[in-house]
Amino acid sequence: MSTTPTNVLVAGAGPVGLATALLLRARGLPVTVLEAAAERAPRPGSRAIFLHRQSLATLAAADPALGAELVRHGLVWGTRCTYFAGREVHRRTYVPPPADRAPFSSLPQPVMEELLRAACHRAGAGIRWNTPVTGVTPSSDGVLVRTPDAVHRATYAVGCDGARSAVRRAVGVGLRGPRSPYAFLVLDVADDPGHPLPLERAFHYRDPRVDGRNVLTVPFRGGLRVDVQCRPDDDPDALGAAADDWLPGLLPAGHARTVTWSSHYRFQQVVADTLTDAHGRVLLAGEAGHLFAPFGARGLNSGIADAAAAAAAAATGDVSGYAAARHRAAVLNRRAAGRALAHLTAPDPWHRAAQRLAAAAAPRSRRAGRWLDSAPYGPRDAGIPGSRY
């Protein structure tokens, strides 16, 4: 085996890993990304579709061309609406600002990754595909990262390798927190030019079109994300297999309804015990350090915030400051996502009664309608400033 010197190693070439590499290069640090999969291999697991304003600003500060491309390839929809048992209880329509002041961008994760890869190449960040991390040994003066064909020496390593992080396991860090008993079925539906999708984010409480389940639909460039909350006794696989029966009712009449991706989850609400190792040489970012229910788009966007903080920590050596600040943000995000999850699942009579009363009051009270519209996404102030769904 050869020994390869470098300054910072990043494990994982998903959006958070690529963002970390780009932000490290913006600070002048040499960086190499190690990715277990092949370059064009499809990624298992969740797929993000929503970048907050702050995430766009963070990435644009490192590469202005990237910031512009993320907006140009994305969608900024101008309407948010909420329904209760088929009746509209809230609607807000606004004129989206110019592209250079976009409040968010809604685009598929594979497109995000393609744009981030190109930005990393422009910046001089190396990416090694088919290179899984098999071991990590930190010490007081650096870190050794093992892969099947080499031992890589670095000043720091940043684990951005997702929920099953090899880096996190290698340094013995655990995750703590609950797992939701409720499953959610998620589908992406391609645009049909002959029957265009509505450019609005819509949340449906007790949607009669799917037998009273909650449904969220979010447009993105090229399609629509459909998120269905399963009942406790639902079989998510069976519900997904029956999509031809209920999906047409959620789409414009005659829509081709081509499903490009689907999955189902029981969301975890977990945070790593610590976001660094005992020597302060390994940092955990994104889903390697925390997993949330995605309401409010907290997963990817908190990961971009982690990436910026990790790059600053590697540049300044303040790894303990990184670990403290981003762990605090992760706990806040978990709490906010937990509040959203509790609202969505309405596990007790009080929650259900509050929703019914707000829906009844909404025609006369904008405050009631706004609450029904905002509560499924949790509070704003949770460590990732910017707009949300």
Side-chain angles (χ1 to χ4, degrees), residues 166-261:
V167 173
R168 186 185 65 238
R169 293 197 304 269
V171 295
V173 174
L175 295 170
R176 294 182 187 274
R179 184 172 185 254
S180 170
Y182 292 87
F184 291 78
L185 174 66
V186 186
L187 303 91
D188 284 351
V189 182
D191 277 337
D192 177 354
H195 301 85
L197 296 162
L199 298 182
E200 57 186 37
R201 186 277 283 147
F203 187 80
H204 298 259
Y205 292 87
R206 307 179 190 181
D207 193 334
R209 300 171 299 177
V210 284
D211 295 327
R213 298 173 179 88
N214 292 345
V215 177
L216 169 68
T217 58
V218 181
F220 59 89
R221 180 71 69 190
L224 184 74
R225 170 68 51 88
V226 179
D227 192 327
V228 181
Q229 179 185 326
C230 299
R231 295 172 177 150
D233 58 349
D234 277 338
D235 177 346
D237 287 319
L239 185 62
D244 282 347
D245 296 332
W246 53 264
L247 184 58
L250 304 181
L251 303 173
H255 192 281
R257 66 177 184 278
T258 301
V259 175
T260 58
W261 174 76

Side-chain angles (χ1 to χ4, degrees), residues 56 67-68 71-72 76 96-104:
L56 291 170
V71 174
R72 182 169 64 86
V76 178
D100 61 350
R101 292 189 288 113
F104 58 83

